[in-house]
Amino acid sequence: LPTKDEIVQAIEQVGALKAPQLSGYQPCPGLLGPESYSGGFCIAFPFTNGKGRKAVRVWHQEIENIKQRYLYIAKDIRTIQSPYLCDVEFVSDGLDVNGTSIDLVIMDWIEGLPLKMYIQDILNNGKDEASIKIALQELANKLLAMFQHFHALGFSHGDLQHDNILVQNDGTLKVIDYD
């Protein structure tokens, strides 16, 4: 697979993106090129069309059977329509990197704070110990409801940790980074 730098350069090149689902979308600008978030296997790029955002995930490490896994994930997410999940679409040959077509995934971009940061905000901005305790209990109840929901569906995330659970402004939970 291409290097992270090669992927970033390709994202910036006009015409390198081959996903018609992103027609009218542009990568969000960052300090040194497109805004991006790099993980152990993927780089995620936020794209905008001026009204909304999409996440474009590109692999920089090989993962066995990833295409088949994401095709199943996308189908299952569309079928179950869980309030905790966002739409995901696997795109074969969606990005041209130095003449090589590579796959990508398009997801809804979810605005929110990672769980760890959300908890830190509760602790830092709580008016008193009682309000902190109430806010943490409300969060615990929401997490329990989400886990029970996934359990009832037979759904397993695969990498459920604080960076992959987002708390939106209205307090709802979403999970991201489906591997």
Side-chain angles (χ1 to χ4, degrees):
L1 289 174
T3 66
K4 291 179 185 181
D5 289 339
E6 290 171 330
I7 293 168
V8 170
Q9 289 172 2
I11 289 290
E12 294 179 299
Q13 291 176 358
V14 175
L17 202 59
K18 306 293 183 192
Q21 303 89 327
L22 293 172
S23 178
Y25 282 83
Q26 297 295 320
C28 295
L31 292 175
L32 301 169
E35 183 178 347
S36 64
Y37 302 90
S38 186
F41 298 101
C42 283
I43 303 174
F45 298 91
F47 273 64
T48 185
N49 65 0
K51 299 175 193 163
R53 285 181 154 201
K54 295 285 184 184
V56 176
R57 298 181 70 221
V58 183
W59 287 275
H60 58 81
Q61 296 288 323
E62 292 283 345
I63 301 176
E64 187 176 341
N65 299 323
I66 195 65
K67 180 176 183 172
Q68 292 79 12
R69 288 168 54 184
Y70 257 93
L71 290 171
Y72 286 127
I73 290 168
K75 178 180 167 270
D76 286 349
I77 287 174
R78 279 192 305 275
T79 302
I80 63 174
Q81 298 182 359
S82 171
Y84 302 107
L85 303 170
C86 63
D87 286 338
V88 59
E89 185 173 357
F90 183 87
V91 180
S92 292
D93 302 325
L95 182 65
D96 179 31
V97 181
N98 298 327
T100 301
S101 292
I102 61 171
D103 303 331
L104 55 85
V105 168
I106 301 171
M107 301 175 75
D108 294 333
W109 184 266
I110 305 299
E111 295 291 342
L113 287 176
L115 183 61
K116 185 177 180 180
M117 289 177 63
Y118 184 79
I119 292 170
Q120 194 62 51
D121 275 3
I122 290 172
L123 298 174
N124 291 339
N125 299 319
K127 294 179 174 77
D128 55 41
E129 192 173 317
S131 68
I132 291 171
K133 186 175 180 179
I134 290 170
L136 290 174
Q137 186 60 56
E138 287 174 358
L139 176 61
N141 291 341
K142 289 177 184 179
L143 286 165
L144 179 60
M146 181 179 74
F147 298 145
Q148 289 172 333
H149 172 80
F150 287 151
H151 183 74
L153 292 172
F155 180 86
S156 176
H157 183 279
D159 186 22
L160 197 58
Q161 42 93 359
H162 63 87
D163 281 332
N164 292 338
I165 301 173
L166 299 181
V167 183
Q168 297 181 287
N169 287 339
D170 65 0
T172 59
L173 303 177
K174 291 279 189 180
V175 296
I176 59 170
D177 196 9
Y178 314 139
D179 286 336

